[in-house]
Amino acid sequence: MDVDPRQYENITINDNDSHNIVLSYLIHGCFKDTVESLVDSTGLKVPASQLEDMEKRKRISHFALEGNALDAIALTEQVSPDLLENNKDLLFDLLSLHFVELICSRKCTEALEFAQAKLTPFGKVQKYVEKLEDFMALLAYEEPEKSPMFHLLSFEYRQHVADSLNRAILAHANLPSYSALERLIRQATVVRQCLSEELGKDVQSAFSLKEFLKS
Amino acid sequence: MGGVEDDEPPSKRVKASSRELRGLSNGECLKEPSSCSFSACASMARPLALQGDDEVIGSKGVKKVEFVRIIAEALYSLGYSKTGAYLEEESGIPFHSSVVTVFIQQILDGSWDESLASLHKIGIVDETIIKLACFIILQQKFFELLDGEKVMDALKTLRTEIAPLSINNIRVRELSSLILSPSHRVTDGISGQEMVKSKPRSELLEDLQKLFPPTVMIPEKRLLQLVEQALDLQHDTCLFHNSLVGETSLLTDHRCGRDKIPSETVQILPDHHNEVWYLQYSKNGKYLASSSSDHSAIIWEVNLEGRVSLKHRLIGHQKPVSCVSWSPDDDQILTCGVEEVIRRWDISSGECLQVYEKGLIGSISCSWSPDGKWIFSGMTDKSIMMWDLDGKEMDCLKGQKTLRISDLQTTSDGKLITICKENMIVILDRESGAERCIKEDQTIVSFTLSGDNKFLLVSIVNEELHLWSIQGNIRLVSKYRGHRRSRFIVRACFGGFQQAFIASGSEDSQIYIWHRGSGELIETLGGHSGAVNCVSWNPANPHMLASASDDRTIRIWGLNHVETKSNSCIHHCNGAN
C-alpha cells in the first residue's frame, strides 16, 4: 500500500461518515434525546423503526439498571423473543438481579422462595454452580453490603448486566453488537501498537487512548 | 479445676468440707469439729482445695487430680458410669467441673442457646477457641433445623448468629447454598463432601472436646493412650524383639530373650565351587539367589519348613558373578558378570532369557526399573546403561555417574542410587535430572537400600556402617561398629521383624547383628571359615538368615532351639503368612 501510515493526516474524511459514527454510538447507547438533536443539526436520516427499537432498548436497560429485572425480562421477550431462551447466561444474570433486589429490600423469605423456584434449576449445570453459590451467600448476612459478595449489589454490576443484555438484543436483530465508534477505536489501538513495536520503540509507549485524546 | 469452682461456692464448700474433715481427722485443723461453722468452712475452703490440686503421686510429678480424672475417663469409656460417679464422689475430684457437666448435658439435649451461655462460663482463655466452639455448635443447630424442615429458622440462625461470628466465610457460603435446596443435600453439586446432614450430638461433643484445652475436657481414652505409649517404648528398647508371636501383657515389662534371633546354623550349602560373593532372598522369601566367583549363580528354593534346596544352577557367565538382582515380582533375576555382561534368567525354568551388553564396555552392577520393563547397569566407563527387556538400548547416562566398583539400586519410584564419587552417593531422578547426594567423610565401599526405600545403609572404609534417611531431608540416623572389613567388599542388610535389625558380614568370618534403633551389637555368629561377604535376611521370615562366604559355602541360620520344627515355624517360614 502506498500510503505511509505516519502520513495519516493526508486522508480526507467525509463529514457524513463522522456523523454516522457518532450516530451509531448514540443509537447503540440509546441516547434518544441526543439522537434527535443530532438528526436535527445534521439532517441525517434515521429510520423510524430503528428509533422505536432504540426506545425499547432504552427502557429495558433502565429496568435492568434499577434492578427491576422482571420488567426487563418481560420487555426483552417482547422485543426479541427466544433471546433469553437461547442465552441462559443472560437469563441467569437477570434473574439474579431480581434476587439481589429482594435481598436489598430485606425480603428474605421472598428471596429464598424466588431462588428456590427460579435459580435452583440452574444449579444442575456445573458452570452456574459457583455463581449460584455466590448469590446464595448473600442470604447469610443481615447486612449484605458488608458481606464478601458485596460487589453483586453494586451499580457497576447492574450496568454490566444491562450492557450485556443490550448487546445481545442488537445481535439478535442481526445488528452489530458493538458500535462503529467502538470498533474503530479498537482497531486504531491495535494498529498503533503494532506500529510502535515495528518501529522499535520500547513497549512502554504502547498506545494509550487517554494520552492521545489529551495531546 | 481450681479457679473454675469460683462460681459454685455451695458445692465447693461441700467438697472442701469433706476434705477439711479428713484434714481434721489427721489433726490438721485447729478448730474443734463442733465449732466448724459454715463460714469457717468457707474460709478454710480455698487453701485446702489448692493443696489438693498440687498433690503429687509417685516420683515423676504425676498430679493426683489428673491421675484420678483420667481413671474416671477410662471408667466412663468402658461403660462403668456408676463406678466412675462413685470415684468422683469418693475422691472428691470431679471429672469435669460442674459448668462443663452442665454444658455437656445441654449439648446432648440440644439446648443450644443455654450451651452457648455455659460455654462462656467455662473459663477458656483463648477467644479463638470460644468462637470456633460457638461456630460448630451453631452449625449443628443449623443442620438440625434443616433436618426438621424448619428452613426459615435455619436461615435466621445463619443470618443472626453464625454469620456475625465472622469466621470461616467459606463455610457460611456453603451453608447458604444448603438452604436453597435442602432436599438436594446428598448430591455433590451444591455442597462439598463433608457434613451434609447433621451429625449425632455425641460426635459434636467429641469435636468440642478436641477443640478445648485438655484441662477442660479430658481427651477420650487418654489412659489407654498413655499405656500404649509405654508399650511402644518397651518394644523399642527390647533389643531382641523379633516376632509377632507372644502376647502383649501389661503385667510385666516386655522383654524378649535372645532366642528369637537366628543364631544357629541349620543348613550348610556347599554347592558353589569357589568364593560366594553375593546372595539375596526374593521379596516373597520363597527363593534365595547366590552368585560366586565360580562364574555361576544358583537359585535355591525355600520350602515350607524352611529347608533350602538347589533349584537351578545358572551357567553362562565367563567371569565371576558379582551380584544378582530380583525382578519386582520375583519371577526373574539379573546376574552381572564382573566387567562382563548382564544376563536375565527365568526363575521357574532356569533359562537365560536375554544377554545385555554394550560392545567392549563391561557391566559392573545391575538393577530393574520398578515396573520390570527396563534394565539398568553401571558400566566400566562409569556411565549407566538402560535397556528394554529385549536388549535394545534405550538410554545411556554418560559422564561420571558411577564408579568402577559400585552398587546400583532402584527405588520404587524409579530413582537410581549409585556411588558416583569416592565419598558420595547420588540419588538420581532420571526424568527430571534432579540429583540428591549423600556425602561421607571417608571412602564408601558399598550400600544397601531398605525394603521401604526410606533408608540407605552405607559401608565405609573405616569399618563403620552408616544409616542414612533418604526420604525428605537426607540425614544420618545412626552408626554401627564392630565388624571387620579392610580389603574386600563386605555387605550388610536390614532384617527381622519390622526391619528392626542390621546384619553384616565381616572379614573375621563372623556375622554381626545390631539392634537398629539403639545401635547395640547383640549377636555375633561364628561358623564360617572364611570372610563372610554378604548376608540376607528373609523378608518373609524374621527367623531366617543366609550368609555367603569365601569358604565357598552358604549357611542358613535359624532359631536356637529344638522346637524349630514346631507349629510356630510352619506358621511363618517361607512367607506363608
Side-chain angles (χ1 to χ4, degrees):
Chain A
M1 142 146 171
D2 291 3
V3 184
D4 181 354
R6 282 163 292 185
Q7 305 304 320
Y8 60 87
E9 277 151 17
N10 293 342
I11 305 233
T12 45
I13 306 174
N14 192 323
D15 264 355
N16 243 11
D17 288 338
S18 308
H19 295 147
N20 273 317
I21 290 172
V22 175
L23 192 60
S24 82
Y25 174 74
L26 293 173
I27 293 183
H28 181 95
C30 312
F31 299 107
K32 177 167 166 246
D33 297 333
T34 323
V35 167
E36 285 172 359
S37 198
L38 186 60
V39 163
D40 287 341
S41 325
T42 60
L44 281 173
K45 299 278 183 273
V46 182
S49 60
Q50 207 177 6
L51 288 175
E52 272 171 37
D53 287 336
M54 184 184 74
E55 174 66 41
K56 291 196 182 130
R57 279 187 295 115
K58 180 175 172 181
R59 287 172 60 208
I60 292 174
S61 286
H62 273 152
F63 284 141
L65 284 172
E66 286 165 3
N68 185 350
L70 296 180
D71 282 337
I73 293 173
L75 198 47
T76 309
E77 288 291 314
Q78 263 186 41
V79 170
S80 319
D82 303 334
L83 169 67
L84 292 174
E85 274 290 303
N86 298 332
N87 195 336
K88 292 288 183 193
D89 285 355
L90 206 43
L91 181 58
F92 180 83
D93 287 341
L94 286 167
L95 289 171
S96 60
L97 275 188
H98 181 70
F99 178 77
V100 167
E101 259 314 289
L102 291 170
I103 296 261
C104 286
S105 350
R106 307 287 191 259
K107 294 182 183 153
C108 294
T109 328
E110 258 190 74
L112 181 59
E113 281 167 7
F114 176 75
Q116 280 169 332
K118 298 283 183 185
L119 294 179
T120 330
F122 285 92
K124 301 208 175 80
V125 180
Q126 187 54 39
K127 69 168 170 163
Y128 294 115
V129 168
E130 207 184 314
K131 270 185 168 184
L132 188 53
E133 284 181 0
D134 282 347
F135 283 102
M136 291 314 298
L138 287 170
L139 264 182
Y141 297 90
E142 294 205 286
E143 291 180 345
E145 308 81 32
K146 302 210 178 126
S147 76
M149 298 286 126
F150 66 92
H151 59 276
L152 296 173
L153 307 163
S154 67
F155 179 75
E156 285 80 20
Y157 179 72
R158 291 199 292 281
Q159 186 152 58
H160 163 78
V161 176
D163 222 28
S164 311
L165 184 55
N166 195 28
R167 294 191 201 282
I169 295 175
L170 286 164
H172 190 258
N174 278 326
L175 292 168
S177 47
Y178 289 91
S179 64
L181 184 64
E182 283 176 292
R183 281 179 286 145
L184 283 169
I185 294 178
R186 288 173 179 202
Q187 286 169 7
T189 312
V190 170
V191 167
R192 281 225 156 209
Q193 246 154 256
C194 284
L195 282 179
S196 61
E197 276 162 24
E198 259 184 38
L199 291 175
K201 288 194 204 151
D202 58 294
V203 193
Q204 272 186 344
S205 55
F207 180 66
S208 157
L209 183 59
K210 224 174 173 176
E211 296 300 317
F212 175 74
L213 290 172
K214 281 191 200 157
S215 66
Chain B
M1 247 209 72
V4 184
E5 250 79 299
D6 289 343
D7 289 338
E8 312 287 324
S11 51
K12 182 178 176 191
R13 270 180 221 140
V14 169
K15 291 194 182 70
S17 62
S18 66
R19 261 184 246 128
E20 190 220 4
L21 284 171
R22 284 200 299 281
L24 284 173
S25 61
N26 290 344
E28 285 172 30
C29 176
L30 293 173
K31 286 217 162 58
E32 287 175 321
S34 54
S35 67
C36 188
S37 64
F38 216 40
S39 50
C41 288
S43 63
M44 294 268 217
R46 218 149 292 191
L48 279 172
L50 281 177
Q51 193 178 60
D53 278 355
D54 283 346
E55 202 179 325
V56 155
I57 51 178
S59 55
K60 303 262 184 221
V62 173
K63 299 204 190 102
K64 180 175 168 187
V65 168
E66 288 189 353
F67 193 62
V68 172
R69 284 177 84 193
I70 63 173
I71 294 175
E73 196 285 322
L75 289 169
Y76 286 124
S77 285
L78 289 167
Y80 305 133
S81 30
K82 275 201 269 187
T83 321
Y86 193 66
L87 173 60
E88 284 189 65
E89 201 194 309
E90 200 179 357
S91 65
I93 297 172
F95 177 47
H96 287 137
S97 73
S98 33
V99 184
V100 173
T101 315
V102 167
F103 175 75
I104 292 174
Q105 196 53 47
Q106 285 164 342
I107 296 281
L108 290 172
D109 292 340
S111 319
W112 310 118
D113 298 328
E114 293 86 346
S115 72
L116 288 172
S118 302
L119 177 64
H120 286 96
K121 285 198 243 160
I122 288 178
I124 297 171
V125 178
D126 190 345
E127 278 292 315
T128 333
I129 296 182
I130 297 186
K131 268 198 170 171
L132 276 171
C134 286
F135 191 90
I136 61 179
I137 294 173
L138 288 166
Q139 194 177 227
Q140 179 74 11
K141 178 179 175 186
F142 176 84
F143 277 114
E144 288 195 6
L145 285 169
L146 276 188
D147 279 345
E149 313 270 321
K150 299 202 176 104
V151 180
M152 290 319 294
D153 287 336
L155 183 58
K156 183 161 161 240
T157 306
L158 183 59
R159 286 168 64 90
T160 59
E161 293 180 292
I162 300 183
L165 287 172
S166 301
I167 48 176
N168 205 347
N169 278 321
I170 300 172
R171 193 82 189 124
V172 170
R173 193 186 143 100
E174 287 171 10
L175 296 176
S176 301
S177 305
L178 287 177
I179 294 234
L180 181 59
S181 46
S183 54
H184 284 160
R185 266 188 284 161
V186 201
T187 65
D188 288 7
I190 296 291
S191 99
Q193 290 95 333
E194 43 141 329
M195 274 206 73
V196 283
K197 261 184 75 64
S198 64
K199 48 165 79 157
R201 289 175 187 166
S202 52
E203 255 186 66
L204 171 64
L205 210 47
E206 271 173 41
D207 290 343
L208 286 167
Q209 173 254 296
K210 286 184 194 130
L211 198 57
F212 292 154
T215 45
V216 172
M217 276 172 84
I218 304 279
E220 224 185 302
K221 303 209 175 120
R222 178 64 183 157
L223 184 58
L224 182 60
Q225 200 184 33
L226 287 170
V227 170
E228 286 177 337
Q229 277 180 20
L231 286 175
D232 280 341
L233 202 64
Q234 285 175 19
H235 283 148
D236 286 343
T237 52
C238 175
L239 294 177
F240 303 102
H241 185 67
N242 196 23
S243 20
L244 208 46
V245 179
E247 324 137 351
T248 308
S249 167
L250 290 182
L251 302 177
T252 51
D253 276 4
H254 174 85
R255 243 346 134 239
C256 284
R258 294 193 118 92
D259 58 333
K260 290 295 181 214
I261 307 286
S263 49
E264 189 179 71
T265 304
V266 293
Q267 247 185 300
I268 301 182
L269 309 171
D271 302 79
H272 275 296
H273 307 309
N274 208 333
E275 296 168 1
V276 191
W277 285 359
Y278 193 91
L279 86 178
Q280 195 181 29
Y281 281 98
S282 61
K283 281 178 244 358
N284 58 16
K286 293 188 182 156
Y287 297 102
L288 180 63
S290 62
S291 73
S292 164
S293 59
D294 69 3
H295 303 190
S296 79
I298 297 180
I299 310 260
W300 311 83
E301 192 163 354
V302 183
N303 77 3
L304 288 165
E305 276 96 46
R307 205 79 197 146
V308 176
S309 55
L310 192 148
K311 185 176 165 78
H312 292 301
R313 207 185 271 272
L314 309 177
I315 310 282
H317 282 287
Q318 310 290 316
K319 290 283 185 69
V321 184
S322 59
C323 61
V324 303
S325 177
W326 284 93
S327 68
D329 24 348
D330 287 344
D331 60 348
Q332 294 172 71
I333 209 169
L334 294 175
T335 53
C336 179
V338 176
E339 300 186 10
E340 197 219 21
V341 303
I342 307 279
R343 282 173 179 267
R344 178 165 63 94
W345 311 80
D346 176 73
I347 297 299
S348 30
S349 64
E351 250 184 78
C352 178
L353 301 173
Q354 187 70 39
V355 179
Y356 304 89
E357 53 191 323
K358 187 177 182 178
L360 294 168
I361 308 175
S363 294
I364 51 126
S365 59
C366 57
S367 181
W368 292 81
S369 67
D371 58 5
K373 294 195 176 130
W374 322 110
I375 310 291
F376 295 100
S377 171
M379 313 298 286
T380 49
D381 69 354
K382 304 191 187 165
S383 64
I384 296 181
M385 273 293 296
M386 178 178 164
W387 291 279
D388 73 0
L389 289 177
D390 300 321
K392 194 171 101 186
E393 178 176 331
M394 301 301 298
D395 197 2
C396 181
L397 304 172
K398 293 211 171 29
Q400 186 171 337
K401 293 296 177 193
T402 186
L403 299 179
R404 276 195 86 104
I405 298 179
S406 168
D407 299 309
L408 180 67
Q409 295 278 345
T410 336
T411 62
S412 56
D413 56 356
K415 299 200 178 64
L416 291 171
I417 308 184
T418 182
I419 306 173
C420 63
K421 289 205 182 83
E422 226 179 50
N423 60 346
M424 188 149 51
I425 289 177
V426 67
I427 302 170
L428 179 58
D429 185 338
R430 232 172 31 85
E431 278 168 44
S432 68
E435 291 183 2
R436 291 157 74 220
C437 297
I438 293 179
K439 220 171 164 305
E440 283 283 357
D441 293 329
Q442 298 196 44
T443 309
I444 297 174
V445 174
S446 67
F447 65 84
T448 312
L449 181 62
S450 68
D452 60 9
N453 290 203
K454 294 182 187 172
F455 295 92
L456 215 54
L457 189 59
V458 182
S459 171
I460 309 292
V461 75
N462 67 352
E463 299 184 313
E464 279 183 6
L465 289 173
H466 290 178
L467 181 63
W468 289 82
S469 161
I470 56 172
Q471 233 195 15
N473 278 335
I474 293 188
R475 57 185 184 94
L476 182 62
V477 176
S478 14
K479 295 186 181 181
Y480 309 93
R481 292 201 62 104
H483 63 300
R484 307 314 311 273
R485 189 226 71 79
S486 50
R487 285 172 290 156
F488 312 119
I489 296 185
V490 157
R491 293 182 195 278
C493 70
F494 296 85
F497 184 61
Q498 292 176 342
Q499 310 289 295
F501 303 97
I502 304 280
S504 173
S506 172
E507 280 171 18
D508 65 6
S509 314
Q510 297 188 89
I511 296 170
Y512 287 74
I513 302 182
W514 295 266
H515 180 246
R516 177 174 165 178
S518 65
E520 250 187 76
L521 181 65
I522 56 172
E523 271 295 6
T524 46
L525 309 180
H528 277 293
S529 49
V532 179
N533 299 314
C534 189
V535 286
S536 180
W537 211 309
N538 190 328
N541 180 355
H543 303 152
M544 190 180 192
L545 190 63
S547 56
S549 168
D550 277 352
D551 68 7
R552 306 182 180 190
T553 68
I554 294 172
R555 283 189 177 229
I556 306 291
W557 305 80
L559 295 182
N560 190 10
H561 45 62
V562 193
E563 298 105 76
T564 326
K565 294 201 169 41
S566 74
N567 294 339
S568 62
C569 187
I570 293 174
H571 175 63
H572 45 224
C573 276
N574 195 30
N577 50 331

